[in-house]
Amino acid sequence: MAEISSIVILTGAGISAESGIDTFRDAGGLWEQHRVEDVATPEGFARDPDLVLGFYDLRRKALAGVQPNPAHEALARLDAEFSGELLIVTQNVDNLHERAGARRVLHMHGELKSALCTACEMRSPWDAAMSDRPPCPVCQAPSLRPDVVWFGEMPYQMDRIYSALRGADLFVSIGTSGAVYPAAGFVRDARELGVRTLELNLERSEGSHWFHESRQGRAGELVPTWVDEILGRG
Ligand code: BV8
């Protein structure tokens, strides 16, 4: 493989599946328990804030009971040992990349452990529930919402992501179904930029045909093997 000096990684719910966090679209996944329109759109939040706050309270609470898995740990090792440019763009709102020790992480769809105040628009680290309408730590208004990107809302830091893609030699997609845009379009953007593309996923995804190489298997096995290859131990 030609010298790799800049990597962009995109992760999705599949990288957290082996930690026991439900994915969205696998059987019994999160979206099967709820209609997307009811719990992951601004309209759903306006219609029934208690339902939405409760949905995210449950997911935030569940974080305390799960651990990073070997896939998160392998990416943290890559982050620590890879001397080139690296950006881990995650669609996940869990904090398992950080808890495994990764630092160069970008949450394009926000985070469960962050609160956004709809009154003052300030963000605060958040670990508790929101269903009981706690006061915003900044302005005290009882107006907190989950700091996550819902359907129809603009994902975070898109300029930074596209800038990283433009400078990358390698784009790796891990554990995502390629169903949701703009994340699902990154592989096409990468190819148009002449970036090499690799997919690591349990099964073929909606975007598999766009990748130069697509490996099927569990992230807990594929990711450590791939990281060893990149760090020259493969
Ligand atoms: C935007 C955060 C524009 C919240 C999420 C029509 C109407 C309205 C909108 C649209 C439309 N058509 C297109 C759109 C745009 C829309 C979209 O793409 N819709 C889709 C459904 C067609 N996108 C948006 O709305 C985005 N915003 O477009 O804004 C705009 C422009 C200008 C100004 C303002 C706005 C915002 C989308 C973000 C939504 N938020 N999450 C929360 O988490 O609750 S989406 C959520 O689902 C995730 O974040 C992720 O992005 C997405 C997909 O989930 P995955 O991570 O891929 O998980 P999934 O379960 O699907 O797949 C898991 C994969 O893992 C599987 O392939 C499985 O095989 C694999 N796997 C399982 N186990 C393992 C494994 N792999 C390895 N190992 C294992 N063990």
Side-chain angles (χ1 to χ4, degrees), residues 13 18 24-25 56 59 91 109 149 152-153 176-177 181 201 219:
E18 291 158 73
F24 293 91
R25 289 169 183 79
Y56 286 94
R59 291 171 67 192
Q91 302 170 87
H109 290 162
V149 176
E153 295 185 323
T176 181
S177 60
Y181 289 83
N201 205 56

Side-chain angles (χ1 to χ4, degrees), residues 7 14 24 39 50 57 74 76-77 86 88 97 110 116 130 134 136 148 154 169 180 182:
I7 306 173
F24 293 91
V39 290
D50 287 322
D57 284 355
R77 177 158 52 90
L86 173 71
I88 301 169
H97 281 302
L116 172 60
M130 291 185 188
C136 164
V148 299
M154 179 56 92
D169 324 291
V180 173

Side-chain angles (χ1 to χ4, degrees), residues 157-216:
Q157 302 189 62
M158 291 302 292
D159 293 346
R160 186 172 159 214
I161 296 170
Y162 285 122
S163 165
L165 282 173
R166 279 193 295 276
D169 324 291
L170 179 60
F171 172 73
V172 186
S173 176
I174 303 172
T176 181
S177 60
V180 173
Y181 289 83
F186 291 165
V187 59
R188 262 172 278 180
D189 301 322
R191 289 212 65 158
E192 278 159 20
L193 290 162
V195 179
R196 180 159 175 74
T197 54
L198 168 66
E199 179 182 49
L200 307 178
N201 205 56
L202 188 64
E203 58 208 9
R204 288 186 65 77
S205 70
E206 293 186 33
S208 289
H209 58 285
W210 288 98
F211 289 88
H212 291 103
E213 183 186 358
S214 179
R215 300 179 191 173
Q216 272 69 54

Side-chain angles (χ1 to χ4, degrees), residues 136-150:
C136 164
V138 178
C139 75
Q140 312 316 316
S143 313
L144 296 181
R145 61 161 273 187
D147 181 16
V148 299
V149 176
W150 286 326

